[in-house]
Each structure stands twice: as C-alpha cells, then as structure tokens.
Amino acid sequence: MSFSIKKQGEVVVVDVEGQLIVGNRQELKQKVLDELEKGEKKFLIDFSQTGYIDSSGLGVLVSLSKKIREQGGELRLANLNDDLQTLFELTKLDTLFQISDTRERALESF
Amino acid sequence: MAKSRVAFDLQIPSDVEYIEGVVELARQRCRELKISPAKCSLNIPVALSEALSNAILRGNEATGGKQVRVRAIISDTDLVFEVVDDGPGFNVDECTLDCTTEENLTKEEGRGLFLMRQLMDRVESFRDKGNVVRLTLYRE
C-alpha cells in the first residue's frame, strides 16, 4: 500500500494504491496536509488502484475535506469501484463529496 | 445442525499493522470456498478490519504486549468471525451510531460499528475468556 502524489495542472492528484485503512491513514493525511501547507488548494484522490477502505480511512477523507475547505480549497474523488461506491452510499458520504467516474472528468470539474 | 469447521485460528500482536495480513487470509479462504465476489472484496474485509481495529485500539487500548485472537468458522450456511480482546466488552446496540444523520455525517469517527452491522448479517459482543465480537455472514 502506498500513496503517490503528482501535480496535474493546478490540481494535486493522489493515487491510493492498496488499502486505505487504520494502519496507513495518517500517512495519507500528512501527505495531503503538507501540500495544503505549501499553498495548494485543489486536491483529487484517485481510487482506481484501491482495494478497500475502512472507517478510519473514510474518517480521514472527511477530516481532510474539512481542512482543505477551511483553507478555501476543495477535495474531490474519482474512480470508486462498485464496492467503494457501495461503501460511500451506505455511509451517505456520496452526498458529502463530489465524485467523478474518471480522473479526466474530475480534473475538468475543478 | 449444519457442520462447521475452523478455517483459521490465530493470535496476533495487538498492533494495527497486522490487520491487513489477517484480512487477506480471510479473503483467500473465502475465495477458496466460492463465497460471492462482493462478499470477498467488501463485506468481509471491511467488517473484519473494523472488528480487529476495535479490538486493538479500544478493547486492548493500543497497549503493547497484548494479543488479539481471531477465528474463522465456516459451515454450509454461514461464515463466522470471532475477534477476542482483553477489554471489558460493549453493548453493540448502545455503541452503534447512525453515521448518516446530518449531525454525524461530517464527524471523523463513529462509522466502525455502523459498517460492521451494515455489512454483516449479525454482530454480537459477549464475554468468554475475554471480550468476543462475533460477526456472522450468511453464505447465500
């Protein structure tokens, strides 16, 4: 499991490879907060290479979304597979985040 | 009564770093048993991961040196996972928050038990040489 970060235009894109769970959520949080501190405002997390997410992982997404919004920025999500979509629907987090089917659509939406 | 057998029975150190390995083992066993792909990729990994992290972080209070026991029992009709920690136990109904309400939706925590109950057919907590959380998922 790992997180890779790259810049596409004005958007910081984070790929979550593997699981987003209690054991690694802090690593994701810190990486995104570091970028926020550098002044970045637009964030996209791409889940195309993600297995499953637990409640801690979902919690980190909620927390990051709040922190980014407080700084005048925005966090968007892309490429949820069917299982992840179900997870977001069960927890109603699909109503809290702007979620796109593809990375391209998400990038265009900013 | 349906025959059951133990698919695995492990003691792991009370450390969240061990969760992913246990979950992968559970998924592998479930795939071998031809459990439906959605249950192997969503219900089982998320619910078991929640039960293990609860045991490690809350039951054992993230204290080093403690252990968590995890057992998988399989029958023709269902899959049962039992996670045992040293904690005092808890009431599943009283501790489950509805994380979908407007008030709770934006909270960072409080989705673990909710998810376990949504993804499993039954979630129980009881005392038996430690605090046991038992997750039951019907095979059909």
Coordinates of all heavy atoms in Angstrom, one line a residue, chain B residues 46-116:
Chain B
V46 N -13.9 -5.3 5.1 CA -14.2 -4.1 5.8 C -14.7 -4.4 7.2 O -14.2 -3.9 8.2 CB -15.2 -3.2 5.1 CG1 -15.6 -2.0 6.0 CG2 -14.7 -2.7 3.8
A47 N -15.7 -5.4 7.3 CA -16.2 -5.7 8.7 C -15.1 -6.3 9.6 O -15.0 -6.0 10.7 CB -17.4 -6.7 8.5
L48 N -14.3 -7.2 9.0 CA -13.3 -7.9 9.8 C -12.2 -6.8 10.2 O -11.7 -6.8 11.4 CB -12.6 -9.0 9.0 CG -11.6 -9.9 9.8 CD1 -12.1 -10.4 11.1 CD2 -11.1 -11.0 8.9
S49 N -11.9 -6.0 9.3 CA -10.9 -4.9 9.6 C -11.4 -4.0 10.7 O -10.6 -3.7 11.7 CB -10.7 -4.1 8.3 OG -9.7 -3.1 8.5
E50 N -12.7 -3.7 10.7 CA -13.3 -2.9 11.8 C -13.2 -3.6 13.1 O -12.9 -3.0 14.2 CB -14.8 -2.6 11.5 CG -15.0 -1.7 10.3 CD -14.3 -0.4 10.3 OE1 -14.0 0.1 11.4 OE2 -14.1 0.2 9.2
A51 N -13.6 -4.9 13.1 CA -13.6 -5.7 14.4 C -12.2 -5.7 14.9 O -12.0 -5.6 16.2 CB -14.1 -7.1 14.1
L52 N -11.2 -5.9 14.1 CA -9.8 -6.0 14.5 C -9.3 -4.7 15.1 O -8.7 -4.6 16.1 CB -8.9 -6.6 13.4 CG -9.1 -8.0 13.0 CD1 -8.4 -8.3 11.7 CD2 -8.5 -8.9 14.1
S53 N -9.6 -3.6 14.4 CA -9.1 -2.3 14.8 C -9.8 -1.9 16.1 O -9.2 -1.4 17.0 CB -9.1 -1.2 13.8 OG -10.4 -1.0 13.4
N54 N -11.1 -2.3 16.3 CA -11.8 -2.0 17.6 C -11.1 -2.8 18.7 O -10.9 -2.2 19.8 CB -13.2 -2.5 17.5 CG -14.2 -1.4 17.1 OD1 -13.8 -0.2 17.0 ND2 -15.4 -1.8 16.9
A55 N -10.8 -4.0 18.4 CA -10.1 -4.9 19.5 C -8.8 -4.3 19.9 O -8.5 -4.2 21.1 CB -10.0 -6.3 18.9
I56 N -8.0 -3.9 18.9 CA -6.7 -3.4 19.2 C -6.7 -2.0 19.8 O -6.0 -1.8 20.8 CB -5.8 -3.4 17.8 CG1 -5.6 -4.8 17.4 CG2 -4.5 -2.7 18.0 CD1 -5.2 -4.9 15.9
L57 N -7.5 -1.1 19.2 CA -7.4 0.3 19.7 C -8.3 0.5 20.9 O -8.0 1.4 21.7 CB -7.8 1.2 18.5 CG -6.9 1.1 17.3 CD1 -7.4 2.1 16.2 CD2 -5.4 1.5 17.7
R58 N -9.5 -0.1 21.0 CA -10.4 0.1 22.1 C -10.3 -1.0 23.1 O -10.1 -0.7 24.3 CB -11.8 0.3 21.5 CG -12.0 1.5 20.6 CD -13.4 1.7 20.1 NE -13.4 2.6 19.0 CZ -13.5 3.9 19.1 NH1 -13.5 4.5 20.2 NH2 -13.6 4.7 18.0
G59 N -10.6 -2.2 22.7 CA -10.5 -3.3 23.7 C -9.2 -3.4 24.4 O -9.2 -3.4 25.6
N60 N -8.1 -3.5 23.6 CA -6.8 -3.6 24.3 C -6.2 -2.2 24.5 O -5.0 -2.1 24.9 CB -5.9 -4.4 23.4 CG -6.2 -5.9 23.5 OD1 -7.0 -6.3 24.3 ND2 -5.7 -6.7 22.6
E61 N -6.9 -1.2 24.1 CA -6.4 0.2 24.4 C -5.0 0.5 23.8 O -4.2 1.2 24.4 CB -6.5 0.6 25.8 CG -7.9 0.5 26.4 CD -8.0 0.7 27.9 OE1 -7.1 0.2 28.6 OE2 -8.9 1.4 28.3
A62 N -4.7 -0.1 22.6 CA -3.5 0.1 21.9 C -2.3 -0.2 22.8 O -1.2 0.4 22.7 CB -3.4 1.5 21.3
T63 N -2.4 -1.1 23.8 CA -1.4 -1.4 24.7 C -0.4 -2.4 24.2 O -0.9 -3.5 23.8 CB -1.9 -1.9 26.1 OG1 -3.0 -1.0 26.5 CG2 -0.9 -2.0 27.1
G64 N 0.8 -2.2 24.1 CA 1.8 -3.1 23.6 C 1.8 -4.4 24.5 O 1.5 -4.3 25.7
G65 N 2.2 -5.5 23.9 CA 2.4 -6.7 24.7 C 1.1 -7.6 24.7 O 1.1 -8.7 25.1
K66 N -0.1 -6.9 24.4 CA -1.3 -7.7 24.4 C -1.5 -8.4 23.1 O -0.8 -8.2 22.1 CB -2.5 -6.8 24.7 CG -2.5 -6.2 26.1 CD -3.8 -5.5 26.4 CE -3.9 -5.1 27.9 NZ -5.1 -4.4 28.2
Q67 N -2.5 -9.3 23.1 CA -2.8 -10.1 21.9 C -4.2 -10.0 21.5 O -5.1 -9.7 22.3 CB -2.5 -11.6 22.2 CG -1.1 -11.9 22.6 CD -0.2 -12.3 21.4 OE1 -0.5 -13.1 20.6 NE2 0.9 -11.6 21.3
V68 N -4.5 -10.3 20.2 CA -5.9 -10.4 19.8 C -6.0 -11.8 19.1 O -5.1 -12.2 18.4 CB -6.2 -9.3 18.8 CG1 -7.6 -9.6 18.1 CG2 -6.2 -7.9 19.4
R69 N -7.1 -12.5 19.5 CA -7.3 -13.8 18.8 C -8.4 -13.6 17.8 O -9.4 -12.9 18.0 CB -7.8 -14.8 19.9 CG -8.0 -16.2 19.4 CD -8.5 -17.1 20.4 NE -8.6 -18.5 19.9 CZ -9.3 -19.5 20.5 NH1 -9.8 -19.3 21.7 NH2 -9.4 -20.6 19.9
V70 N -8.2 -14.3 16.6 CA -9.2 -14.2 15.6 C -9.4 -15.6 15.0 O -8.5 -16.3 14.7 CB -8.8 -13.1 14.5 CG1 -7.4 -13.3 14.0 CG2 -9.8 -13.1 13.4
R71 N -10.7 -16.0 15.0 CA -11.0 -17.3 14.5 C -12.1 -17.2 13.4 O -13.0 -16.3 13.4 CB -11.7 -18.1 15.6 CG -10.8 -18.6 16.6 CD -11.3 -19.8 17.4 NE -12.7 -19.7 17.8 CZ -13.5 -20.8 18.1 NH1 -13.0 -22.0 18.0 NH2 -14.7 -20.6 18.6
A72 N -12.0 -18.0 12.4 CA -13.0 -18.1 11.3 C -13.6 -19.5 11.3 O -12.9 -20.4 11.3 CB -12.4 -17.8 10.0
I73 N -14.9 -19.5 11.4 CA -15.6 -20.8 11.5 C -16.6 -20.8 10.3 O -17.4 -19.9 10.1 CB -16.4 -21.0 12.8 CG1 -15.4 -20.8 14.0 CG2 -17.1 -22.3 12.9 CD1 -15.9 -20.1 15.2
I74 N -16.5 -21.9 9.6 CA -17.3 -22.0 8.3 C -18.2 -23.2 8.4 O -17.8 -24.3 8.8 CB -16.3 -22.1 7.1 CG1 -15.6 -20.7 7.0 CG2 -17.0 -22.4 5.9 CD1 -14.4 -20.8 6.2
S75 N -19.4 -22.9 8.0 CA -20.4 -24.0 7.9 C -21.0 -24.0 6.5 O -20.7 -23.1 5.7 CB -21.5 -24.0 9.0 OG -22.4 -22.9 8.7
D76 N -22.0 -24.9 6.2 CA -22.6 -24.9 4.9 C -23.5 -23.6 4.8 O -23.8 -23.2 3.7 CB -23.5 -26.1 4.8 CG -22.7 -27.4 4.7 OD1 -21.5 -27.3 4.4 OD2 -23.3 -28.4 5.0
T77 N -23.9 -23.0 5.9 CA -24.8 -21.9 5.8 C -24.2 -20.6 6.1 O -24.7 -19.6 5.6 CB -26.0 -22.1 6.8 OG1 -25.4 -22.3 8.1 CG2 -26.9 -23.3 6.5
D78 N -23.2 -20.5 6.9 CA -22.6 -19.2 7.2 C -21.1 -19.2 7.5 O -20.5 -20.2 7.7 CB -23.4 -18.5 8.3 CG -23.6 -19.4 9.6 OD1 -22.7 -20.1 9.9 OD2 -24.7 -19.3 10.2
L79 N -20.6 -17.9 7.6 CA -19.2 -17.7 7.9 C -19.3 -16.9 9.2 O -20.1 -16.0 9.4 CB -18.6 -16.8 6.9 CG -18.5 -17.1 5.5 CD1 -18.0 -16.0 4.7 CD2 -17.5 -18.3 5.3
V80 N -18.5 -17.3 10.2 CA -18.4 -16.6 11.5 C -17.0 -16.2 11.8 O -16.1 -17.0 11.7 CB -19.0 -17.5 12.6 CG1 -18.8 -16.9 14.0 CG2 -20.4 -17.9 12.4
F81 N -16.8 -15.0 12.1 CA -15.5 -14.5 12.5 C -15.6 -14.1 14.0 O -16.6 -13.3 14.3 CB -15.0 -13.3 11.7 CG -14.8 -13.6 10.3 CD1 -15.8 -13.4 9.3 CD2 -13.7 -14.2 9.8 CE1 -15.6 -13.7 8.0 CE2 -13.5 -14.6 8.5 CZ -14.5 -14.3 7.6
E82 N -14.7 -14.6 14.8 CA -14.7 -14.1 16.2 C -13.4 -13.4 16.5 O -12.3 -14.0 16.2 CB -14.9 -15.4 17.1 CG -16.3 -15.9 17.1 CD -16.5 -17.1 18.0 OE1 -15.5 -17.6 18.6 OE2 -17.7 -17.5 18.2
V83 N -13.5 -12.3 17.1 CA -12.3 -11.5 17.5 C -12.4 -11.3 19.0 O -13.4 -10.8 19.5 CB -12.3 -10.1 16.7 CG1 -11.2 -9.3 17.1 CG2 -12.3 -10.4 15.2
V84 N -11.3 -11.7 19.6 CA -11.3 -11.6 21.1 C -10.2 -10.7 21.6 O -9.0 -10.8 21.2 CB -11.0 -13.1 21.7 CG1 -11.2 -13.1 23.2 CG2 -11.9 -14.1 21.0
D85 N -10.5 -9.8 22.5 CA -9.6 -8.9 23.1 C -9.7 -8.9 24.6 O -10.5 -9.7 25.2 CB -9.7 -7.5 22.5 CG -11.1 -6.9 22.9 OD1 -11.4 -6.8 24.1 OD2 -11.8 -6.4 21.9
D86 N -8.9 -8.1 25.3 CA -8.8 -8.1 26.8 C -9.7 -7.1 27.4 O -9.7 -6.8 28.6 CB -7.4 -7.9 27.3 CG -6.5 -9.0 27.0 OD1 -7.0 -10.1 26.7 OD2 -5.3 -8.8 27.0
G87 N -10.5 -6.4 26.5 CA -11.3 -5.3 27.0 C -12.5 -5.7 27.8 O -12.8 -6.9 27.9
P88 N -13.3 -4.8 28.4 CA -14.5 -5.1 29.2 C -15.7 -5.4 28.3 O -16.7 -5.8 28.9 CB -14.7 -3.8 29.9 CG -14.1 -2.7 29.1 CD -13.0 -3.3 28.3
G89 N -15.6 -5.2 27.0 CA -16.8 -5.5 26.2 C -17.6 -4.3 26.0 O -17.4 -3.3 26.7
F90 N -18.6 -4.4 25.2 CA -19.5 -3.3 25.0 C -20.9 -3.8 24.4 O -21.0 -4.9 24.0 CB -18.9 -2.3 23.9 CG -18.6 -2.9 22.6 CD1 -19.5 -2.9 21.6 CD2 -17.4 -3.6 22.4 CE1 -19.2 -3.5 20.4 CE2 -17.1 -4.2 21.2 CZ -18.0 -4.1 20.2
N91 N -21.9 -2.9 24.5 CA -23.2 -3.2 24.0 C -23.3 -2.8 22.6 O -23.2 -1.6 22.3 CB -24.2 -2.6 24.9 CG -25.6 -2.9 24.5 OD1 -26.0 -2.7 23.3 ND2 -26.4 -3.4 25.4
V92 N -23.5 -3.7 21.7 CA -23.4 -3.3 20.3 C -24.5 -2.3 19.9 O -24.2 -1.3 19.2 CB -23.6 -4.6 19.4 CG1 -23.8 -4.3 17.9 CG2 -22.5 -5.6 19.6
D93 N -25.7 -2.5 20.5 CA -26.8 -1.6 20.1 C -26.5 -0.2 20.7 O -26.7 0.8 20.0 CB -28.1 -2.1 20.7 CG -28.7 -3.3 19.9 OD1 -28.4 -3.3 18.7 OD2 -29.3 -4.1 20.5
E94 N -26.1 -0.1 21.9 CA -25.8 1.2 22.5 C -24.7 1.9 21.9 O -24.7 3.2 21.9 CB -25.5 1.0 24.0 CG -26.8 0.7 24.9 CD -26.4 0.4 26.3 OE1 -25.3 0.6 26.7 OE2 -27.4 -0.1 27.0
C95 N -23.7 1.2 21.4 CA -22.5 1.9 20.9 C -22.6 2.2 19.4 O -21.7 2.9 18.9 CB -21.3 1.0 21.2 SG -20.9 0.8 22.9
T96 N -23.6 1.7 18.7 CA -23.7 2.0 17.3 C -24.3 3.3 17.0 O -25.4 3.6 17.5 CB -24.5 0.9 16.5 OG1 -24.0 -0.4 16.8 CG2 -24.5 1.1 15.0
L97 N -23.5 4.2 16.3 CA -24.0 5.5 15.9 C -24.6 5.4 14.5 O -24.0 4.7 13.7 CB -22.9 6.5 15.9 CG -22.4 7.1 17.1 CD1 -21.2 8.1 16.8 CD2 -23.5 7.9 17.8
D98 N -25.6 6.2 14.3 CA -26.1 6.3 12.9 C -25.2 7.4 12.3 O -25.5 8.6 12.5 CB -27.6 6.7 12.8 CG -28.0 6.8 11.4 OD1 -27.2 6.6 10.5 OD2 -29.2 7.0 11.1
C99 N -24.2 7.0 11.5 CA -23.3 8.0 11.0 C -23.8 8.7 9.7 O -23.2 9.6 9.2 CB -22.0 7.3 10.6 SG -22.1 6.1 9.3
T100 N -25.1 8.4 9.4 CA -25.7 9.0 8.2 C -26.5 10.2 8.5 O -27.0 10.9 7.6 CB -26.5 8.0 7.4 OG1 -27.6 7.6 8.2 CG2 -25.7 6.8 7.0
T101 N -26.7 10.5 9.8 CA -27.5 11.7 10.2 C -26.7 13.0 9.8 O -25.5 12.9 9.8 CB -27.9 11.7 11.7 OG1 -26.7 11.8 12.4 CG2 -28.6 10.5 12.1
E102 N -27.4 14.1 9.7 CA -26.8 15.3 9.3 C -25.7 15.7 10.4 O -24.6 16.1 10.0 CB -27.8 16.4 9.3 CG -27.4 17.6 8.5 CD -28.4 18.7 8.4 OE1 -29.6 18.3 8.6 OE2 -28.1 19.9 8.3
E103 N -26.0 15.4 11.6 CA -25.1 15.7 12.8 C -23.8 14.9 12.7 O -22.8 15.4 13.0 CB -25.9 15.5 14.1 CG -25.2 15.8 15.3 CD -25.8 15.2 16.5 OE1 -26.8 14.5 16.4 OE2 -25.3 15.4 17.6
N104 N -24.0 13.6 12.3 CA -22.8 12.7 12.4 C -22.1 12.6 11.1 O -20.9 12.1 11.1 CB -23.3 11.3 12.8 CG -23.8 11.3 14.3 OD1 -23.3 12.1 15.1 ND2 -24.7 10.4 14.6
L105 N -22.7 13.0 10.0 CA -22.1 12.8 8.7 C -20.7 13.4 8.5 O -19.8 12.8 7.9 CB -23.0 13.4 7.6 CG -22.7 13.1 6.1 CD1 -22.8 11.6 5.9 CD2 -23.6 13.8 5.2
T106 N -20.5 14.5 9.2 CA -19.2 15.2 9.0 C -18.2 14.9 10.1 O -17.1 15.5 10.2 CB -19.4 16.7 8.9 OG1 -20.1 17.1 10.0 CG2 -20.1 17.1 7.6
K107 N -18.5 13.9 11.0 CA -17.6 13.5 12.0 C -16.5 12.6 11.5 O -16.8 11.8 10.6 CB -18.3 12.9 13.2 CG -19.2 13.8 14.0 CD -19.8 13.2 15.2 CE -20.6 14.2 16.0 NZ -21.5 13.6 17.0
E108 N -15.3 12.7 12.0 CA -14.2 11.9 11.5 C -14.4 10.4 12.0 O -14.1 9.5 11.3 CB -12.9 12.4 12.0 CG -11.7 11.6 11.4 CD -10.4 12.2 11.6 OE1 -10.3 13.4 12.1 OE2 -9.4 11.6 11.3
E109 N -15.0 10.2 13.2 CA -15.1 8.9 13.8 C -16.5 8.4 13.9 O -17.4 9.2 13.7 CB -14.4 8.9 15.2 CG -12.9 9.2 15.0 CD -12.1 8.8 16.2 OE1 -12.7 8.7 17.3 OE2 -10.9 8.6 16.1
G110 N -16.7 7.2 14.3 CA -18.0 6.7 14.6 C -18.7 5.8 13.5 O -19.9 5.6 13.6
R111 N -17.9 5.4 12.5 CA -18.5 4.6 11.4 C -18.2 3.1 11.5 O -18.8 2.3 10.8 CB -18.0 5.1 10.1 CG -18.5 6.5 9.7 CD -18.0 6.9 8.4 NE -18.4 8.3 8.1 CZ -17.9 9.4 8.6 NH1 -16.8 9.3 9.3 NH2 -18.4 10.6 8.3
G112 N -17.4 2.7 12.5 CA -16.9 1.3 12.5 C -18.0 0.3 12.8 O -18.2 -0.6 12.0
L113 N -18.7 0.5 13.9 CA -19.8 -0.5 14.2 C -20.9 -0.4 13.2 O -21.5 -1.4 12.9 CB -20.3 -0.2 15.6 CG -19.8 -1.0 16.8 CD1 -20.3 -0.5 18.1 CD2 -20.1 -2.5 16.6
F114 N -21.2 0.8 12.8 CA -22.3 1.0 11.8 C -21.9 0.2 10.6 O -22.8 -0.6 10.0 CB -22.4 2.5 11.4 CG -23.3 2.8 10.4 CD1 -24.7 3.1 10.7 CD2 -23.0 2.8 9.0 CE1 -25.6 3.3 9.7 CE2 -23.9 3.1 8.0 CZ -25.2 3.4 8.3
L115 N -20.7 0.2 10.1 CA -20.3 -0.5 8.9 C -20.4 -2.0 9.1 O -20.8 -2.8 8.3 CB -18.9 -0.1 8.4 CG -18.8 1.2 7.6 CD1 -17.4 1.5 7.3 CD2 -19.6 1.0 6.3
M116 N -19.9 -2.4 10.3 CA -19.9 -3.9 10.6 C -21.4 -4.4 10.5 O -21.6 -5.4 10.0 CB -19.4 -4.1 12.0 CG -18.0 -4.3 12.2 SD -17.6 -4.9 13.8 CE -16.9 -3.5 14.6

